[in-house]
Amino acid sequence: MERLRVPLLEESLYISMAPSALPLCEHTLKSSFTVPRRYLFGPGPSNVPPRILTAGSQPMLGHLHAETIEIMDHIKSGIQYAFQTQNRMTLAVSGPGHAAMECAIFNSVECGDSVLIAVNGIWGERAAEIAERIGAKVNKIVTSAGSYFQNDEIEQALSKYKPVLFFLTHGESSTGVVHPIDGIGELCHRYNCLFLVDSVAALGGSPIYMDKQDIDIMYTGSQKVLNVPPGTAPISFSERACCRIFSRKTKPVSYFLDLSWLANYWGCDRKSARAYHHTGPVTALYSLREGLAILAETGLENSWKRHKYVAAYFHEGLERIGLKPFVEDKKARLPTVTTIVAPPGYDWREITGYIMKNHNIEISGGLGPSVGMVLRVGLMGCNSNKPYVDMILEALTDALKHCHKSKV
Amino acid sequence: MERLRVPLLEESLYISMAPSALPLCEHTLKSSFTVPRRYLFGPGPSNVPPRILTAGSQPMLGHLHAETIEIMDHIKSGIQYAFQTQNRMTLAVSGPGHAAMECAIFNSVECGDSVLIAVNGIWGERAAEIAERIGAKVNKIVTSAGSYFQNDEIEQALSKYKPVLFFLTHGESSTGVVHPIDGIGELCHRYNCLFLVDSVAALGGSPIYMDKQDIDIMYTGSQKVLNVPPGTAPISFSERACCRIFSRKTKPVSYFLDLSWLANYWGCDRKSARAYHHTGPVTALYSLREGLAILAETGLENSWKRHKYVAAYFHEGLERIGLKPFVEDKKARLPTVTTIVAPPGYDWREITGYIMKNHNIEISGGLGPSVGMVLRVGLMGCNSNKPYVDMILEALTDALKHCHKSKV
């Protein structure tokens, strides 16, 4: 095809136009900037491989052009695979993981509804905050950072609070815990409650089966195992969730995140035409499609196994250099984001700063309930491999040698 | 710097691991896709020049890394310039224009507040819908598609409804009207009301001075004159708006769009540290920075003049080929998106389809109140130039010759 023509400025014509009546503000925008290459081994965003960056730099299309709709269909299929679901109501929210969290809660909860939130880290706290803002009666079960809930605790709370929705975090990236999922969906359904799972930090790195494990709503982010830039968030809703959502009495507070509109935009309803709802992030969808394609080519089980294997290799290495994984129960350790007990006598900020400065590697401190208690290392998607583990162990060893250690 | 190492798969180790207990769903994700190059002369998204696509394909950084924060500071300065404001509270929402619309209304309006919405096309309708969902008392002034409001009509409504917020669309892309702004902010302030302006379709293409015209909240989209992929939305709040917002009695319904969090994330408050709120769309911010830099290099006044000149050239050409601009009042014609009276006797769908198929050009039909009444042609940012006008006129002429015309 012919190249797009270069725009033509007809400066001579402007001179004759009246000058603006008001002075223009100045700007301090610099003419260029350079982005350094860096190892992103924090809890996310993870590094984006060239294949995905290239996909995202393809030419713009209209958000409802036939090719864009085909790409959206690919994405739907890719999410269904990654989530292990056949839900028709599967799509990507045009925003980060927090937008997906709001999408899940805004659509499934009405003002005055009772909800139950499992809090074992920051994500439960955030879900509670979101539900409170829309007037839900928020009930929490809380356990300490690094631990998780037993199914009988959950059942007691379901029985006591009779919630319409139970929120659980699959991969608690603030504490490094992967939560067991088996049996919980069944319990929720016994108590006529929807089961909502946040799998932002775990999806693709730790097994989860949306359909088989009776999950009603699940979402993830693009910038973790999928290695896609942040800005889109896959989400899926079961038939049971849809029944509840489409028979609610009031409209969700957000038009932008209203599932009835999103369903049509993503071709998940039974209407033949897609109406204009909002302008989706077209090039971000190219990238998301590519990230899902890479996961599909790798194979979900291979990806789960690699993350598990690499995490175990990392955890052994940590013990070898005298560091301690924060989560004692080995089977509860999240394979994507490892929490390490903050080395006694050190300032964790000095360690992360030293490693960033001297090794060009991002690792992170704690978040929410784990602040000051842990270091966090994320190895997600293309970053989950042994050579990177060796690099991090080397960097940590170096930091422990050179950072200030108090005598206490 | 050393290249990022290639991930290592240790397949041999996986074989010994137990197979998953549950079968995996299949996927139909294709391994590759090709994006065609197309002239995007609809109401948006517009074409993205290579410089912006390249900026967006630079390596990923953490959302709170020093370089990312510097890029966010550039963006802030670029928005201040484009909006002609010195508002400290200037940032980009991590979502499309609709997220910015919700951000503006969610933060400035509480349940039970009276708001006044000027409806002269689809955007007023959407603003009303959003305000209704959060329990505002929504009052509207309505005028027909293609027309606009007089200041005395607005004053009467302000006096009658005593709203806390008045919403007006600067560039009504559904009808092709650019709304006069002078004097309205002053009126709003006389009635103790905030003045909110949607300039998604007009910003950078038609003069507006946020500070001098007493606008309290204004937002735009990235995918129009800025030629940046959709997914970020510049927004700014006056001191007056901030005073109202930060003294509200209830929390906004959305945590994701809560200005007190966004202000901290964007370094607009007076706190020294930025807390983790959500993960911003890092690479989309690279693109947005680049789009704003191009506008700054072009010069805002030059951009306004070019859009005005090119639109006038287009409108003359339309008359020459027997088509009629929908907006009769020449000074009310939006320079970025032109509405054309749907040619009598033709099916507008056949015309847009013909031009897409035979000329590889997107133009669009009406939207909301203008459906069936108009064709819409957007010439925004790098697409605003005379050769493109000639191409469109040629395509329209060709379509009128070859599409079916009824005898009536």
Side-chain angles (χ1 to χ4, degrees):
Chain A
M1 199 204 116
E2 183 194 12
R3 281 176 60 84
L4 297 184
R5 289 176 207 160
V6 176
L8 181 73
L9 294 177
E10 307 229 346
E11 294 287 353
S12 61
L13 277 153
Y14 302 159
I15 295 163
S16 63
M17 296 177 75
S20 69
L22 297 162
L24 289 170
C25 287
E26 289 303 312
H27 62 88
T28 59
L29 191 59
K30 286 178 197 157
S31 62
S32 73
F33 73 107
T34 317
V35 176
R37 206 171 278 271
R38 181 169 294 149
Y39 295 98
L40 302 180
F41 300 156
S46 57
N47 288 104
V48 179
R51 177 174 158 186
I52 292 176
L53 288 172
T54 302
S57 66
Q58 291 194 74
M60 181 59 47
L61 281 175
H63 53 291
L64 288 176
H65 286 188
E67 299 86 353
T68 311
I69 287 176
E70 201 185 330
I71 287 164
M72 291 164 80
D73 287 341
H74 291 186
I75 288 172
K76 228 189 296 188
S77 169
I79 299 172
Q80 285 169 333
Y81 173 68
F83 282 22
Q84 289 295 294
T85 181
Q86 293 180 340
N87 289 336
R88 183 187 179 87
M89 194 63 70
T90 298
L91 53 95
V93 172
S94 302
H98 276 89
M101 191 189 265
E102 292 203 334
C103 181
I105 295 173
F106 284 178
N107 281 291
S108 60
V109 177
E110 294 188 78
C111 182
D113 280 349
S114 167
V115 300
L116 178 64
I117 314 268
V119 180
N120 65 331
I122 194 170
W123 306 113
E125 290 171 6
R126 295 234 159 152
E129 159 105 38
I130 288 167
E132 271 161 14
R133 284 174 185 243
I134 59 166
K137 287 183 202 130
V138 175
N139 306 288
K140 297 179 197 173
I141 46 175
V142 181
T143 187
S144 59
S147 59
Y148 57 92
F149 299 92
Q150 302 300 324
N151 286 11
D152 57 353
E153 294 174 74
I154 294 168
E155 180 167 13
Q156 279 171 29
L158 288 169
S159 158
K160 181 172 174 189
Y161 299 115
K162 298 180 178 49
V164 300
L165 183 78
F166 173 55
F167 172 93
L168 185 73
T169 309
H170 179 214
E172 212 353 308
S173 59
S174 67
T175 63
V177 168
V178 60
H179 206 291
I181 301 292
D182 277 342
I184 300 176
E186 211 187 317
L187 279 179
C188 286
H189 295 170
R190 198 179 307 155
Y191 290 89
N192 195 27
C193 169
L194 297 176
F195 184 29
L196 164 59
V197 173
D198 174 318
S199 190
V200 171
L203 192 100
S206 189
I208 196 155
Y209 301 85
M210 184 167 189
D211 287 355
K212 297 289 168 65
Q213 293 180 312
D214 297 302
I215 298 167
D216 294 299
I217 311 176
M218 186 159 82
Y219 59 86
T220 189
S222 55
Q223 76 278 15
K224 310 280 184 175
V225 171
L226 292 175
N227 300 129
V228 173
T232 55
I235 192 166
S236 182
F237 298 82
S238 71
E239 268 301 308
R240 186 187 297 255
C242 291
C243 283
R244 177 77 57 85
I245 289 168
F246 295 131
S247 63
R248 50 183 291 155
K249 293 189 184 70
T250 57
K251 285 185 182 176
V253 288
S254 170
Y255 168 82
F256 171 52
L257 297 173
D258 185 327
L259 190 62
S260 56
W261 281 94
L262 291 174
N264 176 260
Y265 177 38
W266 279 82
C268 305
D269 57 11
R270 290 170 206 272
K271 292 175 189 155
S272 60
R274 301 191 191 204
Y276 169 63
H277 172 234
H278 72 281
T279 304
V282 180
T283 54
L285 296 179
Y286 302 163
S287 303
L288 178 59
R289 200 215 77 99
E290 206 64 22
L292 289 163
I294 291 173
L295 180 62
E297 288 163 24
T298 304
L300 197 48
E301 286 177 302
N302 286 337
S303 180
W304 294 339
K305 287 172 186 170
R306 191 182 72 232
H307 282 84
K308 183 176 174 174
Y309 168 74
V310 169
Y313 176 75
F314 181 37
H315 299 161
E316 284 164 29
L318 287 173
E319 312 256 14
R320 212 167 50 238
I321 64 168
L323 290 174
K324 218 167 130 334
F326 178 70
V327 180
E328 288 182 15
D329 180 354
K330 279 190 182 178
K331 72 174 193 308
R333 289 181 190 163
L334 182 59
T336 47
V337 179
T338 293
T339 42
I340 305 165
V341 174
Y346 290 90
D347 178 352
W348 66 267
R349 285 178 211 83
E350 198 190 340
I351 294 176
T352 57
Y354 181 90
I355 289 175
M356 174 75 97
K357 188 175 165 201
N358 296 285
H359 294 263
N360 197 31
I361 290 174
E362 173 188 44
I363 69 165
S364 146
L367 180 67
S370 67
V371 167
M373 298 163 69
V374 299
L375 296 172
R376 294 187 299 154
V377 177
L379 290 168
M380 295 182 276
C382 66
N383 285 351
S384 164
N385 63 75
K386 280 177 65 179
Y388 283 178
V389 169
D390 295 336
M391 277 175 58
I392 295 167
L393 292 171
E394 196 183 306
L396 283 166
T397 306
D398 186 37
L400 294 176
K401 198 185 292 171
H402 289 96
C403 292
H404 177 78
K405 187 182 182 184
S406 65
K407 296 260 159 57
V408 183
Chain B
M1 200 204 113
E2 184 195 11
R3 281 177 60 84
L4 297 184
R5 289 177 207 160
V6 176
L8 181 73
L9 293 178
E10 307 229 348
E11 293 288 353
S12 61
L13 278 153
Y14 302 157
I15 295 163
S16 63
M17 296 176 75
S20 68
L22 297 162
L24 289 171
C25 288
E26 289 305 311
H27 61 88
T28 59
L29 192 58
K30 287 179 196 155
S31 63
S32 73
F33 73 107
T34 317
V35 176
R37 206 171 278 272
R38 181 169 294 148
Y39 295 98
L40 302 179
F41 300 156
S46 56
N47 288 103
V48 179
R51 177 174 158 186
I52 292 176
L53 288 171
T54 302
S57 66
Q58 291 194 74
M60 182 58 47
L61 281 174
H63 53 291
L64 288 176
H65 286 188
E67 299 86 352
T68 311
I69 287 176
E70 201 185 329
I71 287 165
M72 292 163 80
D73 287 342
H74 291 186
I75 288 172
K76 227 189 296 188
S77 169
I79 298 172
Q80 286 170 332
Y81 173 68
F83 282 23
Q84 290 294 293
T85 181
Q86 293 181 338
N87 289 337
R88 185 187 178 87
M89 194 63 71
T90 298
L91 53 93
V93 172
S94 302
H98 276 89
M101 190 188 265
E102 292 204 334
C103 181
I105 295 173
F106 284 178
N107 281 289
S108 60
V109 177
E110 294 187 77
C111 182
D113 280 348
S114 167
V115 300
L116 178 64
I117 314 268
V119 180
N120 64 331
I122 195 171
W123 306 113
E125 289 171 6
R126 295 233 159 152
E129 159 106 39
I130 288 167
E132 271 160 15
R133 284 174 185 245
I134 59 167
K137 287 183 203 131
V138 175
N139 306 288
K140 296 179 198 172
I141 46 176
V142 181
T143 186
S144 59
S147 60
Y148 58 92
F149 299 93
Q150 302 299 324
N151 286 12
D152 58 354
E153 293 174 75
I154 294 169
E155 181 167 12
Q156 278 171 28
L158 288 169
S159 158
K160 181 173 174 189
Y161 299 115
K162 296 181 180 48
V164 300
L165 184 79
F166 173 55
F167 172 93
L168 185 73
T169 309
H170 179 214
E172 207 2 300
S173 59
S174 67
T175 63
V177 168
V178 60
H179 206 290
I181 301 292
D182 277 341
I184 300 175
E186 211 187 316
L187 278 180
C188 287
H189 295 169
R190 199 179 305 155
Y191 289 89
N192 196 27
C193 169
L194 297 176
F195 184 29
L196 164 60
V197 173
D198 175 318
S199 190
V200 171
L203 193 100
S206 189
I208 196 156
Y209 301 86
M210 185 168 189
D211 288 355
K212 297 288 167 66
Q213 292 180 312
D214 297 302
I215 298 166
D216 293 300
I217 311 176
M218 187 159 82
Y219 59 86
T220 189
S222 55
Q223 76 279 15
K224 309 279 183 173
V225 171
L226 292 175
N227 299 130
V228 173
T232 55
I235 192 166
S236 182
F237 297 83
S238 70
E239 268 301 308
R240 186 187 297 255
C242 291
C243 284
R244 177 79 56 84
I245 289 168
F246 295 131
S247 63
R248 50 183 291 155
K249 294 190 184 69
T250 57
K251 284 184 182 176
V253 288
S254 170
Y255 168 82
F256 170 51
L257 297 173
D258 185 328
L259 190 62
S260 55
W261 280 95
L262 291 174
N264 176 259
Y265 178 38
W266 279 82
C268 305
D269 57 10
R270 289 167 207 275
K271 292 174 190 156
S272 60
R274 302 190 191 204
Y276 169 63
H277 172 234
H278 72 282
T279 304
V282 180
T283 54
L285 296 179
Y286 303 164
S287 303
L288 178 59
R289 200 215 77 98
E290 207 63 21
L292 289 163
I294 291 173
L295 180 61
E297 288 163 24
T298 304
L300 196 48
E301 286 176 303
N302 286 336
S303 180
W304 293 339
K305 286 173 187 170
R306 192 182 70 233
H307 282 84
K308 182 176 174 174
Y309 168 73
V310 169
Y313 176 75
F314 182 37
H315 299 162
E316 283 164 30
L318 287 173
E319 312 256 14
R320 211 168 49 238
I321 65 169
L323 290 174
K324 218 166 129 336
F326 178 69
V327 180
E328 289 183 14
D329 180 355
K330 279 190 181 179
K331 71 175 194 309
R333 289 181 190 163
L334 182 59
T336 48
V337 179
T338 293
T339 42
I340 305 166
V341 175
Y346 290 90
D347 178 352
W348 65 267
R349 286 178 211 81
E350 198 190 341
I351 294 176
T352 58
Y354 181 90
I355 289 175
M356 174 76 98
K357 188 174 166 204
N358 296 285
H359 294 263
N360 197 30
I361 290 174
E362 173 189 43
I363 69 165
S364 146
L367 180 67
S370 67
V371 167
M373 298 163 69
V374 299
L375 296 172
R376 294 187 300 155
V377 177
L379 290 168
M380 295 182 276
C382 67
N383 286 352
S384 163
N385 62 75
K386 279 177 65 179
Y388 283 178
V389 169
D390 295 337
M391 278 175 57
I392 295 166
L393 291 171
E394 196 183 305
L396 283 167
T397 306
D398 185 37
L400 293 177
K401 199 185 292 172
H402 289 95
C403 292
H404 177 78
K405 188 182 181 183
S406 66
K407 295 259 160 58
V408 184

